[in-house]
Amino acid sequence: MSFTWFVGTRYLRAPQKQAFISLITFLATAGIAVGVMALIVVIAVMTGFESELQNRILGIESHVLVMRYGESVADIESTVAKIESIDGVLSATPFIYTQVMLRSPHGVTGAVLKALDPSRPGPPIYVGKDIPLTDALSDAAPDAPAGKGPGLVIGRVTAERLKVAVGDPVYLISPLGKGGAANQMPTVERFSVAGIFETGMNEYDGAMSFVRLDVAQRMLQMPGQASGLEVRIADIYQAKQIAEAIVARIGFPFWARDWMQMNRNLFSMLRLQKTVMFIILTLIVLVAAFNIASALIMMVMEKTRDIAILKTIGATNRHIRRIFVFKGLVIGCLGTAIGGVLGFILCSILKKYPFIKLPGDVYFLTTLPVSLQFFDVLTIGLSTVVICFLATLYPAASASALDPVEGIRYG
């Protein structure tokens, strides 16, 4: 056992002559623990929000969106074949995207109509509990059987606004009607509710509606055409590179945007909030670090005679500095370990028992999402230890600068 380790451990175990110093040491350890616990829980919740939002957005929107400048996509099959031949691309699905009005006998609301080909892979949206959206669209007849209109799949919030259920009639009004630009009349067509989906995000459940691609092509007079292509890829973090490869393969006038570009502002805001919360909650650790410095300074004053005797028997300034740095780091590491354990326990409780409820009309979730990442915990732990280490430098330097003669005379 080294000299500094031996003396440092004795100083940690030995009772202080002044109980006030022990109280400050306890408060410093508790402050570090509370700060680390708060940091872990808050960062885990912020990470959970970002991860859950990303999963839900990518469950509805495409990984890469491909469209043409100023016109629709006419050569669908050849374009799909070119895109799906690129490494990393799972599927390319044509779609039609337009704004419409939905009207029922009980209400009216605006909606974004999205038409998909049910024979191709679609977004992982489920109608009811276990019916994929593509299956619901496949079962929806493209023509009006027995006086009923084509099938329309709407969101839960839209269904509540229109006060309709599966099988009820809904009238769809599109501004892209028949006739020329001067005498164009809106298109009104009767549909039947073929299914109701729920994603958990009111922005989608109250805005999106789905029909078959052939129905939308007939209604909007776009035979054999699509507004664009939705591309899904194997690695979502390679979306930018694959988008560039798609444009290079199919050429102008096509353009492509990846999911990170389409949601850049939202995810940038979440990352900024996470960084700001980390900085704010680090102030708790900083205050506790000041308590560590105060406890060490008072201990230096108490141990003046001990320090002087150590120097007279051969201890160097480096030895004295190491003794007090060691004690401060032990306090900091102990508080960090306790805070880490408490934070992990609290995160586990929040994840297993989601007793904190969130309003669904304000947030896209009804419970707090928790995602504890190893890198976040490591960053918090290392940052805390570094702050505690910096707090020990001044007291340790003051102790090492003590004159042994003056220490023995006045200690």
Side-chain angles (χ1 to χ4, degrees):
M1 181 181 296
S2 66
F3 169 72
T4 54
W5 177 275
F6 175 76
V7 177
T9 52
R10 283 184 62 87
Y11 277 1
L12 283 171
R13 294 195 305 266
Q16 305 292 338
K17 295 180 181 178
Q18 299 182 12
F20 187 63
I21 301 178
S22 300
L23 177 62
I24 293 178
T25 303
F26 171 78
L27 292 177
T29 306
I32 294 291
V34 171
V36 170
M37 179 188 68
L39 270 170
I40 289 177
V41 173
V42 171
I43 297 301
V45 171
M46 297 292 292
T47 304
F49 261 105
E50 183 177 357
S51 177
E52 190 67 23
L53 180 62
Q54 174 180 306
N55 292 335
R56 298 209 176 188
I57 287 178
L58 294 181
I60 300 172
E61 296 184 357
S62 59
H63 300 161
V64 178
L65 182 67
V66 180
M67 301 184 73
R68 287 173 66 104
Y69 286 105
E71 57 184 349
S72 58
V73 180
D75 48 346
I76 295 178
E77 295 301 329
S78 61
T79 305
V80 167
K82 291 179 182 179
I83 294 175
E84 290 184 342
S85 65
I86 298 174
D87 291 337
V89 174
L90 298 177
S91 65
T93 304
F95 70 92
I96 290 178
Y97 191 84
T98 185
Q99 293 181 334
V100 298
M101 292 287 293
L102 299 178
R103 182 175 64 84
S104 74
H106 308 288
V108 62
T109 185
V112 174
L113 183 68
K114 197 168 188 178
L116 300 174
D117 186 351
S119 64
R120 299 178 183 271
I125 298 176
Y126 289 88
V127 176
K129 292 184 178 180
D130 53 0
I131 303 176
L133 174 64
T134 52
D135 290 353
L137 292 177
S138 297
D139 296 337
D143 298 318
K148 293 185 178 181
L152 175 71
V153 178
I154 60 177
R156 176 188 57 82
V157 177
T158 301
E160 292 175 354
R161 290 173 183 168
L162 298 177
K163 297 181 175 62
V164 294
V166 176
D168 291 345
V170 172
Y171 289 92
L172 187 147
I173 306 170
S174 171
L176 303 178
K178 301 179 180 179
N183 59 350
Q184 189 177 46
M185 296 294 293
T187 298
V188 180
E189 187 161 341
R190 176 179 171 138
F191 282 78
S192 177
V193 178
I196 298 174
F197 69 88
E198 183 176 3
T199 64
M201 298 182 67
N202 285 5
E203 292 81 359
Y204 293 99
D205 295 343
M208 298 294 297
S209 297
F210 296 91
V211 295
R212 293 169 60 109
L213 184 65
D214 50 3
V215 173
Q217 288 173 339
R218 173 179 55 80
M219 183 182 67
L220 301 175
Q221 300 181 13
M222 298 174 61
Q225 302 178 46
S227 300
L229 298 166
E230 289 187 336
V231 180
R232 293 195 168 268
I233 60 178
D235 186 359
I236 61 174
Y237 297 105
Q238 294 294 322
K240 183 178 180 180
Q241 291 80 352
I242 292 180
E244 294 172 352
I246 290 174
V247 174
R249 176 68 59 87
I250 60 180
F252 187 83
F254 287 93
W255 57 270
R257 294 184 66 188
D258 61 86
W259 67 272
M260 288 181 281
Q261 288 178 309
M262 291 186 286
N263 301 280
R264 177 182 300 171
N265 292 338
L266 180 59
F267 287 106
S268 297
M269 179 267 293
L270 289 175
R271 292 190 186 98
L272 179 61
Q273 287 183 343
K274 185 176 178 180
T275 303
V276 171
M277 292 303 296
F278 179 84
I279 294 173
I280 292 175
L281 293 175
T282 302
L283 296 178
I284 301 176
V285 178
L286 193 60
V287 172
F290 287 149
N291 287 336
I292 293 178
S294 301
L296 291 178
I297 290 173
M298 297 185 69
M299 184 179 177
V300 169
M301 297 173 61
E302 179 189 341
K303 302 293 185 180
T304 300
R305 178 181 289 273
D306 294 357
I307 296 170
I309 294 174
L310 288 174
K311 282 194 170 186
T312 58
I313 62 176
T316 64
N317 291 343
R318 175 180 292 183
H319 290 143
I320 302 301
R321 281 197 301 270
R322 287 181 176 178
I323 290 171
F324 287 92
V325 168
F326 169 77
K327 180 172 182 178
L329 282 178
V330 169
I331 296 173
C333 292
L334 180 62
T336 303
I338 295 174
V341 172
L342 293 177
F344 178 78
I345 293 174
L346 188 54
C347 286
S348 300
I349 293 174
L350 289 173
K351 195 170 184 178
K352 188 173 183 180
Y353 306 102
F355 53 87
I356 299 179
K357 301 298 181 181
L358 302 176
D361 55 344
V362 178
Y363 300 95
F364 61 92
L365 297 171
T366 56
T367 58
L368 274 181
V370 179
S371 178
L372 196 60
Q373 302 291 331
F374 173 76
F375 179 76
D376 292 336
V377 176
L378 182 64
T379 302
I380 292 170
L382 291 179
S383 301
T384 304
V385 172
V386 169
I387 292 175
C388 295
F389 170 73
L390 295 177
T392 64
L393 295 182
Y394 175 74
S398 300
S400 63
L402 185 67
D403 184 3
V405 176
E406 297 295 326
I408 295 175
R409 178 181 301 174
Y410 301 108

